Amino acid sequence: MRVRIPLLGAATTALTVAVLAVGTPAQAAGVVLSQGHVDAVDVAFEGGAFELSVHDETVEPDVERDPASVVFRVPSRAAVTVPADPAYAFLGSPGSTVYVLPEVQDPALLWAGLATEELEPGVFAGDSVRIRFRQVLGPDGFSLFATDPAGAPLVAVDSENGLPDIVTLPVATHAHYNWAFERPGTYRIKVDVTARLASTGATVTSDPVWLKFVVCA
């Protein structure tokens, strides 16, 4: 069961903070998520319009949160070393440190997904929607990538290689990627969703939302 919490600070059972440990500015009534499963972008379509939320399964029952009320925390234990393999050069120099929320669940970290499970087949052309990563503000690069069976990266988003980048997802599905941040600090990621209606061919686009990640050294 999904419960919607549309208003900033409406969740009284979640952690409320004023100042984050890494020294970012105070955020009133922010909900900090640091472990467990979340869909950082959860797409719904109601009344002819898209609605983007954060699907939070770290609480019981799970809830839909306004992205403006959420801070995703990336702890220092998310740090990994960039491999010498040239295919991973988009993460930085070999041997440097990058902070990754992995596509495979680690109970000590957030497991962040993208979800279209609330979208019905037949509504959109090709039964798919496009999640657009339009802008990234932060101290260094951000990327979103999957790993193929051979261990090679499949890069979906790279903020240092020109934006917007687009992740196309089928409706009624759920996907996980590696969320990689190249330096500690605060990252704000602007996303929206767009698709064509199967019935008319008209394009519908959501209002943009900002996702906030705080990476701790």
Side-chain angles (χ1 to χ4, degrees):
M1 176 182 179
R2 294 188 176 188
V3 179
R4 291 192 175 273
I5 299 182
L7 299 178
L8 184 67
T12 59
T13 58
L15 176 62
T16 300
V17 295
V19 180
L20 298 174
V22 294
T24 57
Q27 173 165 329
V31 178
V32 177
L33 302 178
S34 58
Q35 290 179 299
H37 180 257
V38 298
D39 291 316
V41 181
D42 188 32
V43 186
F45 189 72
E46 299 178 2
F50 281 118
E51 181 178 345
L52 305 186
S53 61
V54 174
H55 180 206
D56 178 8
E57 293 186 8
T58 70
V59 294
E60 181 63 39
D62 53 307
V63 297
E64 301 284 348
R65 301 192 188 279
D66 181 348
S69 74
V70 175
V71 176
F72 302 100
R73 185 174 184 274
V74 185
S76 58
R77 68 173 296 139
V80 298
T81 300
V82 177
D85 185 343
Y88 284 91
F90 67 94
L91 293 176
S93 303
S96 61
T97 298
V98 64
Y99 299 81
V100 178
L101 296 178
E103 65 180 314
V104 177
Q105 187 169 19
D106 178 339
L109 301 172
L110 275 176
W111 192 30
L114 305 175
T116 61
E117 291 168 298
E118 297 186 64
L119 302 182
E120 298 289 339
V123 177
F124 304 106
D127 277 335
S128 65
V129 299
R130 302 191 303 164
I131 300 175
R132 299 189 298 188
F133 288 73
R134 295 176 52 181
Q135 187 177 3
V136 175
L137 303 176
D140 211 327
F142 160 76
S143 56
L144 191 75
F145 68 99
T147 307
D148 72 14
L154 304 171
V155 181
V157 178
D158 183 353
S159 69
E160 297 179 308
N161 195 30
L163 294 176
D165 282 337
I166 294 171
V167 177
T168 300
L169 287 183
V171 300
T173 196
H174 184 95
H176 280 275
Y177 294 83
N178 299 287
W179 299 68
F181 305 86
E182 295 178 23
R183 191 187 305 177
T186 299
Y187 293 76
R188 292 175 173 85
I189 302 171
K190 185 179 184 181
V191 301
D192 66 13
V193 174
T194 186
R196 286 192 304 111
L197 294 175
S199 58
T200 65
T203 297
V204 287
T205 302
S206 73
D207 291 333
V209 299
W210 288 91
L211 308 176
K212 182 177 180 179
F213 290 80
V214 174
V215 182
C216 305

